[in-house]
């Protein structure tokens, strides 16, 4: 079983003893021991993952790493967050998924207007099973809990990932802009309801409507 650990906050160290992990292509920065690297295609397991990526123009290049030793991964000096899955499903923006254990299944999930608002297309990456996943964020991520009766609204450009039994809906933020006397800005948010955790980064990516 691969061992995931952080080397500081911006480098992921994975100890391998004949194990296999999947990582973002080109994210390896160093390794010790004997490692083999193989580029994969499609960004998701199976035909559906490949087809949906092609239809939406999205590309998620992944490599398979197998060997004996320690492999170090990083992506543009972004912060790295470790997520342990025990049968749950992790939904994560494809740009933020750095590395997963090979035991985890990856695929795609339809997001509809939520994805269009965030500028990331109609599909997001789905990770399922038991094992570790490493997720990047632009700045230290904040993990926010959603409970029944207490919905959470997130700027689409700040959303990274979520786990749990959550529903998503695109909501207008017109009430907010009216209060601060501006016609633009936080025009749309994604509302989460149910039970689960939402990962938010303290920096907003470019969204469908421009800078959020």
């Amino acid at each position: 079983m691969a061992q995931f650990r952080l080397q500081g906050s911006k480098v992921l160290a994975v100890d391998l003893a004949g194990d296999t992990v999947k990582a973002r292509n080109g994210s390896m920065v160093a390794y010790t021991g004997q490692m083999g690297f193989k580029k994969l295609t499609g960004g998701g397991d199976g035909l559906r993952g490949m087809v949906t990526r092609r239809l939406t123009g999205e590309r998620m290049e992944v490599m398979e790493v197998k060997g004996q030793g320690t492999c170090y991964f990083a992506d543009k000096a972004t912060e790295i967050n470790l997520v342990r899955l025990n049968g749950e499903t992790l939904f994560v923006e494809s740009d933020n998924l750095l590395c997963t254990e090979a035991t985890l299944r990856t695929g795609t999930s339809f997001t509809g207007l939520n994805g269009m608002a965030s500028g990331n297309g109609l599909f997001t990456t789905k990770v399922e099973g038991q094992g570790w996943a490493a997720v990047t964020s632009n700045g230290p991520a904040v993990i926010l809990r959603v409970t029944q009766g207490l919905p959470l609204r997130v700027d689409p450009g700040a959303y990274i990932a979520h786990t749990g039994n959550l529903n998503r809906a695109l909501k207008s933020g017109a009430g907010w802009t009216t209060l601060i006397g501006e016609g633009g800005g936080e025009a749309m948010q994604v509302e989460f309801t149910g039970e689960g955790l939402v990962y938010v980064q303290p920096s907003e990516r470019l969204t469908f409507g421009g800078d959020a």
Side-chain angles (χ1 to χ4, degrees):
M1 182 177 179
Q3 299 296 317
F4 280 44
R5 54 189 173 86
L6 294 180
Q7 195 83 14
S9 63
K10 299 180 180 180
V11 177
L12 170 68
V14 181
D15 301 315
L16 299 172
D19 312 286
T20 303
V21 295
K22 297 176 185 177
R24 176 177 295 280
N25 192 44
S27 63
M28 186 277 293
V29 295
Y31 70 88
T32 63
Q34 301 292 322
M35 295 288 165
F37 302 88
K38 182 173 69 173
K39 185 176 178 180
L40 304 177
T41 59
D45 290 338
L47 181 61
R48 181 174 179 272
M50 297 177 68
V51 170
T52 52
R53 294 287 174 189
R54 288 172 179 169
L55 284 175
T56 58
E58 299 176 22
R59 293 185 62 192
M60 181 184 173
E61 296 184 341
V62 179
M63 62 180 178
E64 184 180 83
V65 183
K66 182 177 183 178
Q68 299 268 353
T70 301
C71 198
Y72 300 88
F73 303 94
D75 183 37
K76 301 174 184 176
T78 52
E79 302 282 332
I80 299 174
N81 311 271
L82 295 182
V83 181
R84 176 70 186 182
L85 297 178
N86 293 298
E88 308 98 324
T89 300
L90 170 71
F91 296 90
V92 57
E93 296 295 327
S94 60
D95 288 344
N96 295 98
L97 185 60
L98 178 65
C99 184
T100 67
E101 285 192 65
T103 53
L104 293 174
R105 301 179 301 279
T106 58
T108 54
S109 176
F110 181 73
T111 61
L113 291 177
N114 297 359
M116 291 181 66
S118 66
N120 291 311
L122 297 176
F123 293 86
T124 192
T125 300
K126 181 170 64 173
V127 184
E128 301 175 284
Q130 299 225 6
W132 286 102
V135 176
T136 62
S137 59
N138 191 0
V142 177
I143 305 173
L144 303 174
R145 182 174 293 278
V146 181
T147 58
Q148 292 289 350
L150 290 174
L152 172 70
R153 287 196 179 189
V154 176
D155 185 283
Y159 166 78
I160 301 171
H162 74 270
T163 60
N165 186 20
L166 292 175
N167 296 312
R168 287 177 287 183
L170 198 61
K171 298 291 184 178
S172 170
W176 291 13
T177 56
T178 300
L179 286 174
I180 62 176
E182 297 181 4
E186 313 291 341
M188 304 298 293
Q189 297 97 41
V190 180
E191 184 179 76
F192 291 88
T193 56
E195 298 277 347
L197 300 174
V198 179
Y199 293 74
V200 178
Q201 65 182 4
S203 176
E204 299 174 41
R205 67 172 65 83
L206 190 67
T207 62
F208 183 74
D211 286 320

